[in-house]
Amino acid sequence: MNIIRYPERAEWNNVLKRSALHTEDIRPAVQEIIGKVRTEGDRALYEYEEKFDKVKLASLIVTPEEFDEAGKALESGLKEAILRALENIRAFHAAQKFESKKVETVPGVTCWQKAVPIEKVGLYIPGGTAPLFSTVLMLATPAQIAGCKEIILCSPPNTEGKIHPAILFAAQAAGVKKVFKAGGVQAIAAMAYGTESVPKVYKIFGPGNQYVTVAKQEVSLRDVAIDMPAGPSEVAVLADETANPVFVASDLLSQAEHGVDSQAVLITTSETLLRETQAEVERQLAALPRKAITEKSLESSRLILVKDLNEALDMVNEYAPEHLIIETKDYQDIAERVINAGSVFLGPYAPESAGDYASGTNHTLPTNGYAKAYSGVSLDSFIRKITFQEITREGIRTLGPTIQVMAENEHLDAHKNAVTVRLS
């Protein structure tokens, strides 16, 4: 990992630089796949599944028998863990339900909001070497609580035409009834435009590689909403001399193993902790099965020494990490001063992996500095708020003159007249 000591503020942009996403080179290929799925539907999906996932499918939809097989294939410990995590995620997101409140802005003018679910949502779940069954829970659970009428899920099949059993078990447990065997760009296009088998949705959720990221960007330009801009996963650990270097190193490595373009950053006030963490990273790294991936990720990761906690906090807020772990003596006080982060983990016993799986919070979070302007996925991500207003005769008499003056000065005479006819 790169070690940087006492960087000047003018250097922070360079010090905190993330891995660049070189997406323009792949955009034409992504656009071609999207266009073909849009015009040819299922035929294109079958073709691309054979090309990219190396499988010749007889059907795109997962059958009830395949759901049953998945449940039988999983060992009981994993099933129990999935159900426990689901319970916690459900409890946390159910508490986010919107309560409408009517407000009388002036006598006779009453305004309020109503929360309504997005009717059709699509969830994309990566498969491959790291099937993200946990993401099924993170997306399907709030969608169910919100009351979305149609929840569909796409995930790439293996060469035998099967979706990973943990993904299917999690989907069934979370109430998803329609699961389709489609991965990558073609899955995003299918959900955005619909095919003979895959229904069109109004909003697409879920992570993916660079091709999936670009596909979501492309379809969101005019045709469907997406959850948020996405990039490689990242963590920042803010620590002082009281932090345990074994814990800190494990937190950095747990993020770095996500992929070669992931990033892990330690910001600390302690030279001793920095050196001990560096040694501990090397020790733990040697035992990791995903060592090659993790080593590559560590090349763009940082161990940063700063002069005090005030500077550390300023740096954290400038970086705006997807995940922030605070391992300091007064972590609660420090947490109050965090303004830019996706999800924050407090104290020595709160690893980021707890939020990834089972504490209850959502792990679908803004990356690449978007935490300065975006929230992570929540119940609100699956609903829309419609405003209502009721105006009585008394209300239009009270408010009407204000509207007339404003409309007249914007030279919108019909707007003014809509009030005038009611006043007269």
Side-chain angles (χ1 to χ4, degrees):
M1 295 179 73
N2 301 284
I3 297 177
I4 302 161
R5 291 179 171 87
Y6 305 115
E8 297 293 332
R9 286 183 183 251
E11 302 173 308
W12 284 9
N13 280 344
N14 189 50
V15 167
L16 299 173
K17 191 174 182 180
R18 290 158 164 96
S19 300
L21 279 176
H22 302 291
T23 57
E24 291 312 307
D25 293 341
I26 67 175
R27 198 170 296 275
V30 169
Q31 292 170 332
E32 180 182 344
I33 295 169
I34 290 173
K36 190 164 185 177
V37 172
R38 188 175 188 177
T39 55
E40 298 183 17
D42 281 0
R43 178 182 168 186
L45 285 182
Y46 284 118
E47 180 182 324
Y48 285 127
E49 282 307 307
E50 187 170 3
K51 180 178 180 178
F52 296 127
D53 292 325
K54 312 302 180 187
V55 59
K56 194 173 182 67
L57 295 171
S59 173
L60 292 167
I61 194 164
V62 172
T63 65
E65 291 74 23
E66 288 175 303
F67 277 113
D68 291 341
E69 289 172 12
K72 294 173 183 175
L74 289 189
E75 54 98 9
S76 60
L78 177 55
K79 289 195 284 190
E80 289 172 9
I82 288 172
L83 294 175
R84 177 67 184 273
L86 174 62
E87 183 180 325
N88 295 344
I89 294 163
R90 186 176 285 146
F92 181 71
H93 289 77
Q96 299 168 15
K97 288 183 179 179
F98 174 74
E99 293 183 11
S100 182
K101 180 180 179 181
K102 291 190 175 184
V103 178
E104 190 174 50
T105 55
V106 298
V109 178
T110 305
C111 304
W112 68 96
Q113 287 183 313
K114 175 185 175 183
V116 295
I118 298 172
E119 291 181 279
K120 302 178 181 181
V121 296
L123 317 180
Y124 181 74
I125 308 297
T129 57
L132 299 184
F133 59 86
S134 58
T135 303
V136 178
L137 305 179
M138 297 292 174
L139 300 178
T141 305
Q144 279 286 338
I145 294 169
C148 300
K149 286 183 179 179
E150 187 163 46
I151 304 169
I152 71 162
L153 186 153
C154 287
S155 189
N158 60 21
T159 54
E160 297 177 354
K162 302 290 185 182
I163 290 177
H164 194 282
I167 290 177
L168 292 185
F169 179 81
Q172 190 170 45
V176 179
K177 296 180 175 60
K178 294 182 180 179
V179 178
F180 297 91
K181 302 172 184 178
V185 177
Q186 62 270 27
I188 301 301
M191 291 188 284
Y193 302 110
T195 71
E196 295 88 338
S197 298
V198 182
K200 171 181 168 53
V201 301
Y202 301 151
K203 190 172 183 179
I204 297 173
F205 296 79
N209 61 19
Q210 290 189 47
Y211 286 87
V212 169
T213 297
V214 174
K216 287 173 66 180
Q217 291 171 349
E218 286 291 315
V219 299
S220 71
L221 292 175
R222 54 190 168 273
D223 301 303
V224 67
I226 62 172
D227 44 7
M228 68 186 76
S233 194
E234 63 204 23
V235 68
V237 180
L238 192 165
D240 63 11
E241 72 283 353
T242 66
N244 185 326
V246 177
F247 294 176
V248 174
S250 71
D251 290 331
L252 297 173
L253 290 169
S254 71
Q255 192 62 49
E257 75 172 351
H258 267 291
V260 296
D261 51 3
S262 296
Q263 188 174 58
V265 176
L266 168 65
I267 301 172
T268 182
T269 55
S270 170
E271 172 72 38
T272 301
L273 179 73
L274 186 148
R275 285 188 282 101
E276 291 179 351
T277 298
Q278 181 188 23
E280 191 61 33
V281 164
E282 294 299 324
R283 188 189 71 78
Q284 293 184 31
L285 175 64
L288 292 179
R290 292 168 69 89
K291 180 181 176 183
I293 290 173
T294 309
E295 277 184 321
K296 185 69 177 174
S297 170
L298 292 177
E299 291 177 10
S300 63
S301 297
R302 312 273 193 273
L303 300 173
I304 305 171
L305 183 65
V306 296
K307 61 185 180 184
D308 56 38
L309 283 174
N310 288 329
E311 187 172 75
L313 267 165
D314 287 348
M315 185 175 284
V316 163
N317 284 323
E318 178 59 32
Y319 184 56
E322 176 189 18
H323 307 96
L324 172 62
I325 300 171
I326 303 178
E327 297 189 38
T328 62
K329 180 181 178 181
D330 300 317
Y331 58 80
Q332 288 284 5
D333 294 337
I334 297 295
E336 289 298 316
R337 297 165 61 190
V338 173
I339 57 174
N340 295 325
S343 189
V344 184
F345 301 79
L346 302 179
Y349 301 105
E352 179 264 322
S353 49
D356 269 356
Y357 291 111
S359 62
T361 62
N362 208 289
H363 75 200
T364 309
L365 301 164
T367 62
N368 204 37
Y370 282 112
K372 291 179 179 178
Y374 283 83
S375 304
V377 164
S378 67
L379 189 64
D380 272 354
S381 305
F382 294 87
I383 66 173
R384 298 158 292 128
K385 293 189 178 82
I386 303 173
T387 58
F388 293 81
Q389 53 203 281
E390 180 186 26
I391 301 178
T392 65
R393 177 177 291 183
E394 178 192 14
I396 198 65
R397 285 175 177 168
T398 303
L399 191 60
T402 300
I403 301 168
Q404 287 175 308
V405 170
M406 294 179 74
E408 184 175 352
N409 280 273
E410 285 193 347
H411 309 293
L412 296 173
D413 291 343
H415 281 63
K416 178 183 177 182
N417 189 56
V419 172
T420 303
V421 296
R422 286 171 167 82
L423 293 178
S424 60

